[in-house]
Amino acid sequence: MNLNIFVGQKIKHLRESHSMTQDELADKLDTTRQTISRYETGDRKTNQDTLFQLGKIFNVSINYFFPKENDMEKHDQEVSLDDAFDKNALFTYQGKKIPDEDLEVIKRILESRRDK
Amino acid sequence: MNNDAFDYLLNYAWDNKIGYELTRQLTPDSPSAAYPEEKLVIINMNWPNEKELPFQLAHEITHVTNGDDTQSKLYYHTTYKGKYGVEHKANIGGIELLVPYHFAEIEPESADVDQFIDAYAIPQYLRDYVIKETRDFYKIGE
């Protein structure tokens, strides 16, 4: 996937998960709704200042916006997954790793099911 | 996405007492998942290619119906990758669930395997298994 589109989807996901409109996010970044829309579709590349500001607004690290490729991060994820889910009891589609930022969401889903 | 196929699979899960969570809280690069011990599947509705979702759902349901457990995962996942792995078996099970649904109303002479593969964005390396399953399906139907 094109990196601009990947970053755009991350921005859109963060904005929507914070129930924020494009206009509201535009205000926070001192820009226009059209610009936010173009970031989200990947038509426009976000610069480092914008990503830094977005990280602050949504309280995520700048790494959040990029695909995870390196082995070090994969290794970290395996450890987190083991801790969170009783060692490998969870099967992910085609063995793909769950991103760090989603582990809590999965954990919450499992916990809520167990409570039922 | 083929919503009818997705609904068919959700009904199948329900009938087989398999729980499902269709979530929009995950990031787009998070995989769908199965938790066989809890008879639960989690589908990431933010997945970028919506067409894949019915096959992902069928794949995860198969993990649960196969009763995949920690041991099988450790054994197959680390020792036997490829055609003997649990992921591969879940792929085959996913195809076995979708083929009878998809071809139910289609005459054998009109059955188009590539159209099926395209409709559900099934990985091309599974084409031979789709062909086999489709042939089996029509033999059973005769």
Side-chain angles (χ1 to χ4, degrees), chain A residues 90-91 93-94 96 102 114, chain B residues 27 29 32 34-35 73 87:
Chain A
L90 191 80
F91 290 77
Y93 187 63
Q94 311 294 12
K96 194 176 183 297
D102 284 335
R114 279 181 176 161
Chain B
T27 53
D29 54 336
S32 289
Y35 199 29
K73 185 177 192 178
E87 290 303 316

Side-chain angles (χ1 to χ4, degrees), chain B residues 92-107:
Chain B
I92 302 303
I95 291 167
E96 287 172 357
L97 276 178
L98 279 172
V99 161
Y101 167 78
H102 182 84
F103 291 105
E105 308 285 326
I106 298 174
E107 295 298 323

